[in-house]
Amino acid sequence: MSELIKDRLDNLTILVIEDNIGDFVLIEDYLLDQFHNIKVLHCYDYKSAITLLDSSQENISLILMDLNLPEMGGLALINSMLSHNFEIPIIILTGYTDLEMAKKSLQMGFYDYLVKDEINPVILHKTITFTLNRSSFINQLEHEKQNYEDLFNFNPQPTWLLDSKSLKILNANLSAQIKYGLSHHSFLKMQFTQLHPSSEELLVKNNLINREQELLRNNFTHILSDGKQIKVNIYFREINSEGNSRLIVQTNDISETLKHISTIEVQNAKLRNIAWTQSHVVRAPISRILGIINLLEEEKDNQDEFLFWMNQLKISTNEMDEIVKNIVSDSSSFEKE
Amino acid sequence: MTKELYIIDDDNIYRMIASRMISRVAPGSPITECENGLIGLSKLEQNVNSDSEIIVLLDINMPILNGWGFLDQIADKKFFNNNAIKIYIVSSSTDESDLIKAQQYDFLGGFLHKPLKKEDIISIIEK
């Protein structure tokens, strides 16, 4: 038994809606006998019960309700109670005459029924414990379901739920609606492949239907409602929902990333070019200048040659000056980008 | 044995510097200047039966046939059967990839950086 249920059994508040005082006293006796720390509330009719439930002053764990109250009974009473959606489990108290109606109430969302003539403390205890257990599990499931729906709806990535055979869109989250500029309603009329240009439709269809989860070339085009095209990665998983095979599909817009990569590639090419120039073009005149200087040191007495080599030095130095200027202008064109 | 030198380089100032330095280190050695790899090959082929030891100073970046193309042709023509030819790359390049590429030619005598120093020439010729 989970801690939650144990706690609820230890701090039980039960509302009994019963117009027959004799029946009420009997049930109250059984309850006080079977549960510690129990608080029993009593309402004589439907109206006062609703008032009490609406006021939410009491943290009511469970309702025991007679199926025939002064102002209302049977199906009308069942429907009225359900319409309030109090999220408190209800157990019907009934006589043999209304047994069929009590059975029907189970299909409509009531938890259980007890035939008044058969009630004894043990049955009452068992019925209440089972009901609290079941309602606790059902509440947990409902919460989990809500959590998963929120995870889907508020996921920042555009996400869809598809029928795994037809690829019809069964659900599209908020992010998909905003990103693609299509309403939930418009998405439900589409197949997922219709988001792609016709040239990609077949490829995407095959990938999704054959469940090729590692897509060889995960770079697709999607068309938004305004006609703008974006590049996307597609990720998907097969899931089983309400007995049907479905696909959860997410897309990731990589248009910006691709643009950045191509900018970086252009810059890399320029950098490589600059590096090559440094190594080959800049060093050519430098090495020539150094070579001339080496030679001048060897031939310092030869005046005729000296003027010739000086002139060569000047030519090489000017050549280098041009090269350096070009590199500077190449590099600065970079920064502008 | 006499040593014949071939300077294969498109930079005529470099060729002048190099041949001047060689003349100082080894006066009287014949020097042939070639503007590119293709001219270098044809001059070498004319001289294939020479008894002399042949030393080639080869640049990498040249028009028409560059240093690598020249080395490929030399490898194809099996100039090395007599072992009397030594080829040195002399380049202003400090590019790592050029050094790595040069290592693929196991018959190379070495990789020298411009500017050529007197000591470089002495060590080549006296080897």
Side-chain angles (χ1 to χ4, degrees), chain A residues 66-68 92-100 102 114-117:
Chain A
D66 185 10
L67 202 48
N68 276 304
I92 295 285
L93 301 171
T94 182
Y96 282 116
T97 46
D98 285 329
L99 205 51
E100 284 310 309
L114 290 165
V115 178
K116 282 183 183 175
D117 293 339

Side-chain angles (χ1 to χ4, degrees), chain A residues 135-280:
Chain A
S135 84
S136 163
F137 289 137
I138 288 170
N139 284 341
Q140 266 182 39
L141 274 175
E142 286 296 320
H143 281 135
E144 289 302 314
K145 197 176 155 199
Q146 189 57 47
N147 284 344
Y148 280 107
E149 273 172 19
D150 287 348
L151 272 178
F152 180 86
N153 284 323
F154 303 116
N155 189 327
Q157 300 279 97
T159 309
W160 294 264
L161 182 70
L162 312 184
D163 179 88
S164 67
K165 289 190 189 74
S166 67
L167 305 184
K168 257 182 78 68
I169 295 176
L170 303 172
N171 202 354
N173 76 351
L174 278 175
S175 171
Q177 294 168 35
I178 292 164
K179 176 94 189 171
Y180 286 71
L182 288 165
S183 68
H184 189 258
H185 186 67
S186 316
F187 271 125
L188 296 195
K189 289 189 216 154
M190 295 174 71
Q191 283 188 317
F192 185 75
T193 48
Q194 287 173 274
L195 295 170
H196 294 262
S198 53
S199 57
E200 281 183 6
E201 280 192 26
L202 194 65
L203 178 67
V204 173
K205 195 173 175 178
N206 287 341
N207 280 334
L208 293 178
I209 287 178
N210 298 331
R211 319 269 185 276
E212 288 164 8
Q213 296 190 346
E214 295 295 325
L215 299 182
L216 284 179
R217 184 193 64 106
N218 201 341
N219 179 352
F220 297 97
T221 307
H222 268 182
I223 304 167
L224 309 183
S225 69
D226 59 6
K228 191 183 159 202
Q229 299 202 347
I230 56 167
K231 293 284 175 193
V232 292
N233 287 152
I234 296 179
Y235 302 96
F236 67 95
R237 281 289 176 272
E238 190 176 359
I239 60 161
N240 205 298
S241 167
E242 290 157 13
N244 297 305
S245 166
R246 301 277 154 84
L247 295 180
I248 287 273
V249 183
Q250 287 201 327
T251 62
N252 184 16
D253 183 356
I254 53 168
S255 313
E256 281 297 306
T257 315
L258 289 178
K259 214 165 90 191
H260 289 153
I261 290 173
S262 87
T263 307
I264 289 168
E265 276 170 358
V266 169
Q267 291 186 344
N268 277 348
K270 282 193 178 168
L271 277 176
R272 272 196 302 275
N273 197 24
I274 289 171
W276 191 91
T277 308
Q278 294 276 17
S279 179
H280 294 85

Side-chain angles (χ1 to χ4, degrees), chain B:
Chain B
M1 206 188 335
T2 33
K3 308 200 178 193
E4 278 187 52
L5 285 109
Y6 286 77
I7 304 170
I8 306 178
D9 199 303
D10 57 330
D11 182 340
N12 68 324
I13 301 299
Y14 161 79
R15 292 200 307 270
M16 282 169 70
I17 299 167
S19 59
R20 191 65 62 93
M21 291 181 92
I22 292 165
S23 314
R24 294 184 71 90
V25 172
S29 294
I31 298 169
T32 308
E33 294 185 21
C34 313
E35 266 180 60
N36 61 52
L38 199 63
I39 295 173
L41 274 179
S42 73
K43 294 254 170 87
L44 277 172
E45 274 169 7
Q46 289 165 23
N47 207 8
V48 78
N49 294 320
S50 153
D51 294 335
S52 320
E53 185 186 329
I54 291 169
I55 297 169
V56 178
L57 304 180
L58 178 68
D59 186 27
I60 296 175
N61 293 300
M62 289 178 287
I64 302 171
L65 183 65
N66 68 15
W68 306 123
F70 174 89
L71 289 171
D72 290 339
Q73 298 249 353
I74 289 280
D76 282 351
K77 291 183 177 163
K78 307 217 166 33
F79 260 97
F80 300 97
N81 291 341
N82 59 6
N83 247 356
I85 180 165
K86 284 210 172 72
I87 301 176
Y88 296 86
I89 287 178
V90 185
S91 171
S92 53
S93 168
T94 50
D95 199 333
E96 181 88 20
S97 67
D98 285 337
L99 282 169
I100 290 164
K101 197 166 177 184
Q103 286 167 7
Q104 295 168 9
Y105 300 93
D106 53 0
F107 54 82
L108 267 185
F111 194 113
L112 302 169
H113 290 287
K114 288 180 184 176
L116 274 183
K117 289 190 271 311
K118 196 174 156 188
E119 296 74 40
D120 293 331
I121 293 171
I122 292 170
S123 74
I124 288 170
I125 288 179
E126 293 185 350
K127 219 176 233 173

